[in-house]
Amino acid sequence: MSMKRMQFHRGASGKAAQNSALTTADLVVLSLIRERPMHGYELVKEYERQEVEDWASVSRPHVYYALQKLAERGLIEPINGAEAADPRGKTVYRTTRSGVLALSGALASPTWAQSRAPTSFDTWLGLSIHARASDRRRVLAARRAYLDAQLEKERQTLKAIEADSGSRVPIAAVMVGLCIAQFETERNWLEKLEAALR
């Protein structure tokens, strides 16, 4: 099953299960709204704050599309009246019982732990035997600079996470720690590769 499109079964009652595909964007939006009710603009701000693009293949436009799709499918619903508490009149959404079940059902799949997404650098590396030596050196130097920049960014992110509070802090700190460890490992490996190519 593709990580971009997970299947869930709706209808825990005796009715026949109805298959419907949820994308990664749908699951991210469901998760964010599950944490607290929000309107579209708040969702985008939370998406940016949590740097979702670093840990999920979801763009800002996907957020708005997912919001509409989830509402149409009854997985989220508008909050009405004083409970909505948005002075600008924007529609604030919360997850429905079906939405909570869909989210937990999609997250139960072992497929999440059985995938490997190649980066463009992995692809380049596989093809690099056909590159000129000078081009290989230039691309490897660019990768080193990229890794150094990412390491600095993630170290700053980790400091900000550790100064924050909330239910996501422990898992966010571990996720960023994993990114740092992976970047450090690749950085060390890259130095060995460059030495071997000299």
Side-chain angles (χ1 to χ4, degrees):
M1 185 183 309
S2 165
M3 289 305 295
K4 290 222 181 233
R5 194 168 292 279
M6 304 295 292
Q7 297 291 323
F8 77 92
H9 298 283
R10 187 189 305 161
S13 65
K15 297 179 182 176
Q18 178 182 0
N19 283 335
S20 183
L22 285 180
T23 65
T24 300
D26 298 333
L27 295 174
V28 167
V29 169
L30 266 176
S31 174
L32 294 174
I33 293 176
R34 178 80 173 107
E35 289 176 29
R36 69 178 170 85
M38 288 184 257
H39 55 69
Y41 181 73
E42 285 178 299
L43 268 169
V44 169
K45 286 298 170 196
E46 190 61 15
Y47 163 94
E48 291 169 352
R49 189 185 77 77
Q50 292 192 23
E51 297 180 353
V52 170
E53 71 280 355
D54 284 353
W55 52 269
S57 298
V58 177
S59 69
R60 285 178 58 175
H62 285 134
V63 171
Y64 286 109
Y65 177 74
L67 192 63
Q68 178 183 355
K69 175 181 165 185
L70 294 169
E72 287 171 359
R73 293 191 179 183
L75 300 178
I76 60 173
E77 65 186 1
I79 299 174
N80 300 315
E83 191 182 359
D86 182 65
R88 294 163 295 197
K90 294 183 181 276
T91 304
V92 176
Y93 292 94
R94 66 177 164 212
T95 51
T96 62
R97 178 162 160 49
S98 294
V100 171
L101 292 173
L103 179 60
S104 63
L107 295 176
S109 174
T111 344
W112 290 101
Q114 300 166 343
S115 68
R116 178 177 160 172
T119 66
S120 56
F121 180 71
D122 294 331
T123 304
W124 174 85
L125 195 57
L127 301 173
S128 68
I129 60 167
H130 302 293
R132 292 184 296 255
S134 60
D135 292 336
R136 270 198 305 267
R137 285 190 299 274
R138 188 170 38 81
V139 173
L140 291 174
R143 184 64 177 180
R144 186 179 345 99
Y146 170 79
L147 292 171
D148 289 343
Q150 290 302 304
L151 276 165
E152 179 59 28
K153 174 186 175 250
E154 296 302 341
R155 287 175 179 140
Q156 294 303 318
T157 299
L158 185 57
K159 285 181 186 176
I161 289 169
E162 289 170 342
D164 201 352
S165 62
S167 60
R168 278 194 186 262
V169 168
I171 194 71
V174 170
M175 285 174 64
V176 173
L178 175 61
C179 286
I180 290 170
Q182 289 171 329
F183 286 138
E184 287 172 340
T185 298
E186 185 179 343
R187 183 69 170 79
N188 294 334
W189 168 85
L190 196 58
E191 288 175 8
K192 291 177 185 174
L193 175 64
E194 288 172 320
L197 292 175
R198 278 190 220 111

